[in-house]
Amino acid sequence: MLNPVLVNAESFQEAWLKGSRLIVQNKWELWNLIVHITNPNNFDTIFHRSVSRFAFTHNLLDPKAVAYTIFPYKLYRRYRTASNLFHVYNKPHGFYERKYGSSKYWGNYFRRMTYYEGTNGVINQLENIINAINNSRRIHKAAYTIVIQKPGGETVKPLGGPCLNYIAIQQEPSTPKRLSLLCVYRNHDFLERTYGNYWGLCELLKFLAAEIEAIPTGITCISSHAFIASHKRDFKRLVDSL
């Protein structure tokens, strides 16, 4: 069945847990899972330790490493401004090249947000959006989109390609400004990626809100296909314990 399934949660951790339990209950996969996170600032350290420990003991990607592919939040805290962050991340022999090297796909979400190589040259999508919002006298409710996939091979049978398709940045007509994100994934691995993805998206929203002096509100994330492929018995034990 491809009927949409809706999850509402205050934190990204609760959202991941609710989504995970639904996937377990539905024979390890769901279609059209819609998750809404209402508070991007909410973070449970004890919960996080349990998920990180599970990832470590099962030789899975560390949640922080996954989150960093979407937004390197510690770099931002260290360098304090968007322009400094973009420079340190994208410069020759900078953070991206040192961290991810010649990898074609891994680690490239934030890279594509800030160094998208299109037919007309390199585009910093985040910088363009921040400048456009800050320089506009009007609130454009649905004018800003971050594109991740590239037309061609990544949009036709994109095995190994980016699972995040795009992010829409939404502004509410209010004072002070209120900002939210709508994110679409074609394929979403709840065992190894989704927890870190949700975390990274929360950090990205907080970054954008800080740069345009807005309040970060909600994140809506649509997973066209959500699944768990391995470690199923142990994964069920984990979600049952949380």
Side-chain angles (χ1 to χ4, degrees):
M1 296 292 290
L2 301 185
N3 294 333
V5 179
L6 177 63
V7 168
N8 277 294
E10 181 177 1
S11 71
F12 81 85
Q13 294 162 312
E14 182 188 358
W16 172 82
L17 181 59
K18 286 183 175 181
S20 296
R21 286 175 174 165
L22 285 171
I23 293 170
V24 170
Q25 294 165 11
N26 285 272
K27 299 181 180 179
W28 309 106
E29 66 178 348
L30 278 176
W31 298 90
N32 299 327
L33 176 62
I34 304 169
V35 167
H36 184 66
I37 301 162
T38 61
N39 185 357
N41 292 302
N42 195 309
F43 187 90
D44 186 326
T45 302
I46 296 174
F47 186 105
H48 180 70
R49 287 174 184 163
S50 296
V51 176
S52 295
R53 184 164 54 248
F54 179 87
F56 178 79
T57 57
H58 290 79
N59 197 31
L60 303 173
L61 290 169
D62 180 71
K64 177 187 171 184
V66 177
Y68 247 54
T69 65
I70 294 176
F71 187 74
Y73 58 91
K74 285 192 174 181
L75 277 184
Y76 181 53
R77 293 170 190 168
R78 179 179 177 184
Y79 292 99
R80 300 184 179 181
T81 69
S83 58
N84 288 343
L85 172 63
F86 299 151
H87 175 71
V88 168
Y89 192 89
N90 290 312
K91 69 179 181 178
H93 310 297
F95 182 88
Y96 177 79
E97 288 190 6
R98 295 196 311 272
K99 181 73 172 177
Y100 304 111
S102 60
S103 173
K104 186 177 181 181
Y105 294 115
W106 174 244
N108 72 353
Y109 289 134
F110 188 71
R111 173 73 165 185
R112 292 196 182 187
M113 294 180 202
T114 60
Y115 198 92
Y116 190 95
E117 298 180 81
T119 54
N120 296 320
V122 173
I123 300 169
N124 187 328
Q125 300 184 77
L126 288 183
E127 184 175 59
N128 287 349
I129 289 169
I130 291 168
N131 290 339
I133 293 174
N134 284 335
N135 293 328
S136 176
R137 296 181 180 179
R138 297 176 52 202
I139 290 180
H140 299 280
K141 301 173 186 177
Y144 310 106
T145 304
I146 301 167
V147 178
I148 303 298
Q149 283 185 309
K150 296 182 178 180
E154 291 183 359
T155 56
V156 181
K157 298 181 180 180
L159 182 63
C163 289
L164 175 60
N165 295 151
Y166 67 86
I167 301 171
I169 297 169
Q170 303 165 320
Q171 291 190 93
E172 297 179 36
S174 62
T175 302
K177 297 176 185 175
R178 294 167 62 87
L179 201 69
S180 62
L181 300 180
L182 171 66
C183 315
V184 176
Y185 281 81
R186 63 174 179 84
N187 212 31
H188 225 172
D189 176 2
F190 267 69
L191 173 69
E192 195 167 21
R193 303 297 178 95
T194 307
Y195 180 92
N197 290 157
Y198 288 169
W199 182 12
L201 290 170
C202 287
E203 295 294 340
L204 175 65
L205 174 57
K206 290 188 286 185
F207 158 75
L208 288 168
E211 291 295 323
I212 68 169
E213 298 182 354
I215 297 172
T217 56
I219 294 175
T220 301
C221 189
I222 301 172
S223 303
S224 176
H225 178 238
F227 69 97
I228 296 159
S230 62
H231 301 294
K232 294 176 179 178
R233 183 177 299 177
D234 289 347
F235 186 83
K236 184 178 185 302
R237 290 197 191 102
L238 172 67
V239 299
D240 286 345
S241 70
L242 293 169

